[in-house]
Amino acid sequence: MAGLFITFEGGDGSGKSTQSSILVDRLTNEGRTVIVSREPGGTELGVELREIILHRRGYIAPRAEALIYAADRAHNIATLVRPALERGDIVVQDRYLDSSVAYQGAGRVLNPKEVRDVSLWAVEGLLPDLTILLDLDEAIGRERLDDSRTKYDRLEAEKRDFHARVRDAYLTLAAEEPGRFLVLDGALPVESIAESIRGRVDSLLTGQPS
Ligand code: TYD
């Protein structure tokens, strides 16, 4: 496929949206056609699925949750991302199948390999050319989101544990596919992270090593 598919991954408050908009602005200013998407919710159907999965009250069975993310992904790839890549455009996307493996797998209920296989089926095997993982201690991410809070209750402590597992899962994925992943320390200054991303993306665009 002629285009370039770049995904951003990381925990809450890791700086994904800041970095993706810096990258998108730069590529657009260079005159490139950039399609921006996100999961869940990159398409019209996806917006409805996102509403269900993130805001619906009440229990959703873990396998149902994993399948809703996969359905969102299938539709996003089939109707938005793949056509863009076939036109030769650049797609910059917030979250992709690694999010499912890290988040749904980290709940410990689902087998990460099975979660990945379901997603791969949903997207007919499409993997990104580059996945930028903004790695950050969950406590720092949380502070960034809400720096007024200093204490955690029991439930929040459980959540912390969950986010720590998500982080570990991401790092394991990155170690398994070092060619696809660029792991950056999310605690570094915004400019320095942007510089590293720029270097890697430019080398993909020019075909030269960074
Ligand atoms: P979002 O508001 O997009 O989070 P963020 O701003 O942190 O990217 O919400 C997406 C949430 O959905 C986020 O908590 C991660 C979760 N998620 C999964 O659990 N599995 C998935 O496959 C995807 C794409 C997201």
Side-chain angles (χ1 to χ4, degrees), residues 8-14 16-17 38-41 50 53-55 65-66 68-70 72-73 93-105 115 119 145 162-163 166 170:
F8 279 86
E9 296 284 355
D12 303 324
S14 60
K16 291 189 305 300
S17 46
R38 69 166 174 177
E39 291 184 6
R50 180 184 173 91
I53 205 150
L54 296 183
H55 303 298
E65 184 189 87
I68 298 172
Y69 280 115
D72 166 70
R73 183 160 300 134
Q93 180 165 303
D94 199 345
R95 299 192 180 282
Y96 190 44
L97 83 183
D98 302 300
S99 277
S100 278
V101 181
Y103 282 79
Q104 276 62 62
V115 173
S119 269
L145 290 181
F162 176 82
H163 289 292
V166 168
Y170 269 136

Side-chain angles (χ1 to χ4, degrees), residues 101-122:
V101 181
Y103 282 79
Q104 276 62 62
R108 286 211 192 103
V109 190
L110 301 177
N111 175 316
K113 184 177 179 307
E114 288 176 359
V115 173
R116 180 181 159 90
D117 286 347
V118 166
S119 269
L120 279 175
W121 176 80

Side-chain angles (χ1 to χ4, degrees), residues 77-187:
I77 292 303
T79 64
L80 185 66
V81 174
R82 210 179 268 279
L85 296 175
E86 279 164 2
R87 290 192 304 267
D89 297 344
I90 301 174
V91 178
V92 176
Q93 180 165 303
D94 199 345
R95 299 192 180 282
Y96 190 44
L97 83 183
D98 302 300
S99 277
S100 278
V101 181
Y103 282 79
Q104 276 62 62
R108 286 211 192 103
V109 190
L110 301 177
N111 175 316
K113 184 177 179 307
E114 288 176 359
V115 173
R116 180 181 159 90
D117 286 347
V118 166
S119 269
L120 279 175
W121 176 80
V123 300
E124 299 180 72
L126 181 70
L127 285 173
D129 299 290
L130 171 65
T131 297
I132 297 153
L133 172 59
L134 297 177
D135 176 52
L136 191 66
D137 186 280
E138 67 80 30
I140 301 176
R142 179 179 290 248
E143 253 172 53
R144 283 186 183 174
L145 290 181
D146 182 4
D147 55 15
S148 62
R149 216 185 292 186
T150 50
K151 282 188 186 155
Y152 300 104
D153 62 27
R154 204 165 55 84
L155 203 115
E156 285 166 340
E158 256 182 44
K159 274 186 162 169
R160 283 171 76 180
D161 181 48
F162 176 82
H163 289 292
R165 289 205 302 276
V166 168
R167 183 191 188 194
D168 285 350
Y170 269 136
L171 290 172
T172 303
L173 286 170
E176 282 166 359
E177 282 181 83
R180 171 161 72 91
F181 276 88
L182 173 64
V183 183
L184 296 171
D185 179 355

Side-chain angles (χ1 to χ4, degrees), residues 10-79:
D12 303 324
S14 60
K16 291 189 305 300
S17 46
T18 305
Q19 290 299 335
S20 87
S21 60
I22 292 173
L23 177 64
V24 169
D25 286 351
R26 177 174 75 84
L27 293 169
T28 308
N29 287 337
E30 288 173 356
R32 301 181 193 275
T33 306
V34 184
I35 303 299
V36 180
S37 188
R38 69 166 174 177
E39 291 184 6
T43 61
E44 234 176 88
L45 171 65
V47 170
E48 291 182 37
L49 295 172
R50 180 184 173 91
E51 189 57 31
I52 293 173
I53 205 150
L54 296 183
H55 303 298
R56 186 182 179 279
R57 285 171 181 231
Y59 177 72
I60 301 181
R63 280 165 200 267
E65 184 189 87
L67 286 167
I68 298 172
Y69 280 115
D72 166 70
R73 183 160 300 134
H75 193 70
N76 178 50
I77 292 303
T79 64

